[in-house]
Amino acid sequence: MKKATFYHAGCPVCVEAERAVADALDPAVFEVEHVHLGEARGRIGEAERAGVKSVPALVIDGAAFHINYGASLADVKG
Amino acid sequence: MKKATFYHAGCPVCVEAERAVADALDPAVFEVEHVHLGEARGRIGEAERAGVKSVPALVIDGAAFHINYGASLADVKG
C-alpha cells in the first residue's frame, strides 16, 4: 500500500476536497490518513516539511498537492 | 461509473498531478478523461463553465478542483 496523507482544517473547501478527491483514491493502492491540523497541531511541522503551504492538501509519495484553497498554513497556526 | 475530467496543458506541474492524483482515482468508481487544453482548444469553454481557472484541474461531479498551479486558463488560451 502507498501512503497518502490528506491535511485539512475542517473548512468547507477542505470538506469538499476530502469527499471528492481524497475519498476517491483507489483503496486497493492507497491508505489515506486524514489529519485535521487545527486539532493535531503537533503535525503542522511535518506538513510544512512535506511542502504543504495551504489546506486542503494531499501528500502522496512525499509530494504535496494543494487542492483549491481553504486556508494558509499560517492561518491554521493562528 | 462516475465521470472525472482531468484538464491539463502538458506542463511539468500538470504531469506530476496527473500521475499522482488523476491516475490514483479508484478505477472501480471513476472513468477519468484526460484533456490537453493546448491541443483540444475547443474544450476550453467547457472547462471554464465547470469553474476551471488554472491547470492542472480535476472536475468531479461538476465541481472543479485545482491541483497546485501550472498555468492560468488565460495563458492556455494564449
Side-chain angles (χ1 to χ4, degrees):
Chain A
M1 295 288 271
K2 286 187 182 182
K3 176 81 186 287
T5 309
F6 180 73
Y7 293 101
H8 69 103
C11 57
V13 173
C14 295
V15 171
E16 195 185 3
E18 187 167 28
R19 289 186 186 149
V21 184
D23 290 349
L25 298 185
D26 186 350
V29 177
F30 295 94
E31 180 192 2
V32 184
E33 184 185 10
H34 298 242
V35 179
H36 188 315
L37 289 176
E39 295 169 354
R41 307 186 70 79
R43 298 190 61 179
I44 290 175
E46 156 203 312
E48 282 182 320
R49 285 190 297 276
V52 174
K53 307 282 190 202
S54 61
V55 288
L58 197 52
V59 173
I60 300 179
D61 282 339
F65 298 93
H66 303 88
I67 304 170
N68 287 345
Y69 182 86
S72 71
L73 223 55
D75 288 337
V76 175
K77 282 181 181 176
Chain B
M1 295 287 274
K2 287 188 181 179
K3 175 81 187 286
T5 309
F6 179 74
Y7 293 101
H8 68 102
C11 58
V13 172
C14 294
V15 171
E16 195 185 3
E18 187 167 29
R19 289 186 186 152
V21 184
D23 291 347
L25 298 184
D26 187 350
V29 177
F30 295 94
E31 181 191 0
V32 185
E33 183 184 10
H34 298 242
V35 179
H36 188 315
L37 289 176
E39 295 169 356
R41 308 187 69 79
R43 299 190 62 180
I44 291 175
E46 154 203 312
E48 281 181 321
R49 285 190 296 278
V52 173
K53 307 282 190 204
S54 62
V55 287
L58 198 52
V59 173
I60 300 179
D61 281 339
F65 297 93
H66 303 88
I67 305 171
N68 287 345
Y69 181 86
S72 72
L73 222 56
D75 288 337
V76 175
K77 283 180 181 176

